[in-house]
Amino acid sequence: MKVLPAKRGYTLVEILIVVSIIGLLAGLGLPHLLTANRQSRSRIFVNDLRIASNAFTHFLLENDEYPRDKTPGRMPNGMSSYLSNFQWSEKTSIGGNWDWDFGQFGVTAAVSVYRPTWSEEEMTKIDAIIDDGFLGSGNFRARSGGYMYVIEERP
């Protein structure tokens, strides 16, 4: 009778070492991935903010007035053709709802994000991309319940 050689597999220790190395590599890369995700989402928000503000400016040029104020997440009357490819009723890339502010918060016209989920520190970073990095002044600033990009100041 011929004896077959024993089949050798991986030991538990070898498997644990491989799993530990994979976990370590994932742990080192995850923070960079999260930072890149946040930066990407903030850039998307800034781009969307500019698209929306340009649409409202275009509306003004064609109609000699801005649309009336509307509640957050609701498309202002007459804006559907100007924002046809824009997800106005959807959450923004930083959470919260889009909002049109006409004659509110001490300005004539502004595009706002109402109740974003990002912290004030993160919103300050967005302000630095758009403006002066200070949420108390400039075109991008804090408002009650959110942040606004001012299109036109009150005279």
Side-chain angles (χ1 to χ4, degrees):
M1 190 176 220
K2 187 174 182 184
V3 177
L4 297 173
K7 291 186 179 178
R8 180 156 159 40
Y10 295 106
T11 65
L12 183 59
V13 172
E14 291 169 329
I15 292 172
L16 287 174
I17 289 172
V18 170
V19 169
S20 297
I21 291 171
I22 291 171
L24 179 65
L25 292 173
L28 292 173
L30 190 60
H32 297 292
L33 183 62
L34 293 175
T35 300
N37 185 336
R38 284 284 188 184
Q39 288 174 346
S40 175
R41 288 173 57 195
S42 65
R43 295 285 181 177
I44 289 168
F45 174 74
V46 169
N47 187 54
D48 287 347
L49 195 59
R50 289 185 176 142
I51 289 169
S53 64
N54 286 338
F56 284 99
T57 301
H58 191 188
F59 182 94
L60 170 68
L61 293 172
E62 290 187 353
N63 298 284
D64 294 323
E65 64 181 358
Y66 287 110
R68 298 290 148 225
D69 192 60
K70 203 71 164 179
T71 57
R74 305 263 330 257
M75 178 79 70
N77 296 340
M79 285 302 298
S80 58
S81 63
Y82 295 90
L83 293 168
S84 59
N85 294 323
F86 194 91
Q87 302 297 319
W88 186 267
S89 300
E90 302 293 322
K91 297 284 184 193
T92 73
S93 62
I94 61 169
N97 297 98
W98 289 108
D99 189 18
W100 169 241
D101 295 319
F102 178 72
Q104 304 291 319
F105 308 108
V107 300
T108 298
V111 176
S112 297
V113 57
Y114 180 67
R115 293 190 175 169
T117 56
W118 283 24
S119 70
E120 186 173 333
E121 179 184 342
E122 291 168 311
M123 295 307 292
T124 300
K125 289 177 184 176
I126 288 175
D127 189 9
I129 295 169
I130 297 171
D131 205 14
D132 58 3
F134 178 63
L135 293 169
S137 66
N139 287 344
F140 188 74
R141 60 182 91 146
R143 58 154 257 210
S144 175
Y147 302 87
M148 64 182 173
Y149 180 77
V150 178
I151 298 171
E152 186 178 328
E153 292 277 358
R154 277 202 176 138

